[in-house]
Amino acid sequence: MTSIQQLTNQITGFQFKGHTFSCLRIQGEQDVLRVEVSQLEEMPIFITVTDTQILCISYLFRKDEIHTDKENQMNQYLLELNVPMPLSAFAVIEDYYVIFGALSRGSTLESISDELVTLAQNSIDSLQALEEFIK
Amino acid sequence: MNIITKLLTAIRGSAREIGEAVVDTQSLRIFEQEIHESKENLAEAKSGLTEIVAKKMAAERRLDSVKSEISENEGYAVEALGQDNESLALEVAEKIAKLEAKAESQAEELANYEKNVEILKSQIQEAEKIIAEHERELAMVKTRESVQQATKSVTQTVTNNDSAIGSARESLERIKQKQQSEQDRLEAGMELKKELEGDDLDGKLKASGIIKDKHSAESVLARLKKK
């Protein structure tokens, strides 16, 4: 069983495939951990731990940042990209398009690190790939 | 309505409001209670099955013993007939007839137990399926709620602090700048390497006399001689 506190302690200073993690714990109703992956700092990842899973989310853009006339086409592309994209999927949370990955609470530090690095990379790649849709 | 349909309805409709549950707490508790009761019923059905299986085995044993009694007596009847003792044979035959009637009713009883075992087994299987299905639904509803809570916290974090998340354009520019400066660094490195290699080649050419040093004593002397 991994808690945000345990996760912070484990990840800080851990090295994975040449990347390190810088963590900021934000306490609230439900604790959130903001993680920057070294060399991929532009797209921070927000982690929460729920009863059943570790949820890692990176925020891509707000809905109103997309060209309205191209929204449907982009949504179609996102659905098609979901399966081939490694470890992550696209989703919408309130007004935001996000990219996320969910892990079992029993995941090893390696699996979590792999998820974070892959997610940050996917987030940067997606933003660049979707540039034509952004205002 | 299946659980995915319920979730979709909640997302589509007025339940869009953050924090609003797909299923209210009261019905969630009732649902949990139902699962709990189904499990108790299942446990009862399983112990009932054990009992009936035991009864079925006892009935099988009784039927076997009657059958062997019948064949034993048939042997006696044949022997009595062999001794031409018709009356004794008849007496044995009467006993056999009674035993056969007993065997028949016992076979019926056994068939009844067997049928009950089959029915109970399929009921148990059905109940297990339903419980598993309900547990999956419950897990999905609960997961949605905890995820909703989690994403709410994250979004609060993201929106509370303006510097936490800039616009997509800004992020894109930062990414591009970084990639450009990485590219520049790479190119500069290549350039430097080329220059160093070039210098090295010059040195070699000079050493072999192919390139002459502009300011050598030899060239000064040659120039002076021309004057």
Side-chain angles (χ1 to χ4, degrees), chain B residues 4 8 53 80 102 128 137 159 168-169 193 205 225:
Chain B
I4 301 275
L8 192 60
V53 168
K102 198 176 164 186
E128 278 175 336
E137 291 182 357
T159 46
R169 266 289 149 214
K193 198 178 166 217
L205 287 168
K225 274 181 182 170

Side-chain angles (χ1 to χ4, degrees), chain B residues 17-206:
Chain B
E17 211 38 42
I18 292 302
E20 190 164 334
V22 184
V23 183
D24 61 87
T25 345
Q26 182 60 22
S27 36
L28 206 65
R29 245 198 313 274
I30 292 170
F31 200 41
E32 275 177 328
Q33 186 59 32
E34 273 175 16
I35 292 175
H36 183 70
E37 277 165 16
S38 302
K39 277 185 171 171
E40 278 179 353
N41 290 342
L42 185 65
E44 258 173 49
K46 276 183 175 168
S47 82
L49 179 65
T50 319
E51 215 171 287
I52 286 193
V53 168
K55 280 183 180 166
K56 193 194 96 175
M57 281 160 72
E60 270 169 353
R61 269 198 309 274
R62 278 200 301 275
L63 183 61
D64 280 348
S65 96
V66 173
K67 276 180 178 166
S68 71
E69 218 180 323
I70 289 171
S71 70
E72 199 186 334
N73 279 288
E74 277 174 349
Y76 297 151
V78 170
E79 262 181 63
L81 284 174
Q83 289 174 6
D84 280 333
N85 193 340
E86 191 84 14
S87 68
L88 186 59
L90 192 65
E91 217 174 302
V92 177
E94 273 165 12
K95 194 181 174 187
I96 291 173
K98 273 183 198 153
L99 284 171
E100 274 176 351
K102 198 176 164 186
E104 200 181 322
S105 84
Q106 276 178 353
E108 265 170 36
E109 197 189 1
L110 182 62
N112 220 7
Y113 283 138
E114 276 170 348
K115 212 170 82 188
N116 277 332
V117 166
E118 282 318 302
I119 290 170
L120 261 180
K121 272 185 182 168
S122 76
Q123 276 174 352
I124 287 171
Q125 231 171 28
E126 188 63 22
E128 278 175 336
K129 216 173 75 186
I130 289 169
I131 289 172
E133 176 70 9
H134 282 178
E135 283 187 326
R136 185 182 69 96
E137 291 182 357
L138 189 66
M140 224 187 279
V141 170
K142 282 186 157 179
T143 301
R144 180 180 194 254
E145 268 166 20
S146 66
V147 165
Q148 220 169 20
Q149 187 55 51
T151 55
K152 189 177 138 195
S153 299
V154 174
T155 312
Q156 269 169 0
T157 308
V158 170
T159 46
N160 276 353
N161 182 358
D162 282 335
S163 63
I165 286 237
S167 75
R169 266 289 149 214
E170 282 165 17
S171 306
L172 261 174
E173 287 316 315
R174 274 204 304 276
I175 293 166
K176 274 188 201 160
Q177 263 172 26
K178 191 174 172 186
Q179 286 177 346
Q180 187 58 53
S181 67
E182 258 164 35
Q183 184 66 27
D184 289 349
R185 220 175 41 228
L186 204 68
E187 275 170 19
M190 298 268 277
E191 202 69 31
L192 196 65
K193 198 178 166 217
K194 235 190 283 176
E195 271 173 29
L196 289 173
E197 278 172 357
D199 277 355
D200 191 36
L201 189 60
D202 266 2
K204 279 185 197 162
L205 287 168
K206 275 177 191 161

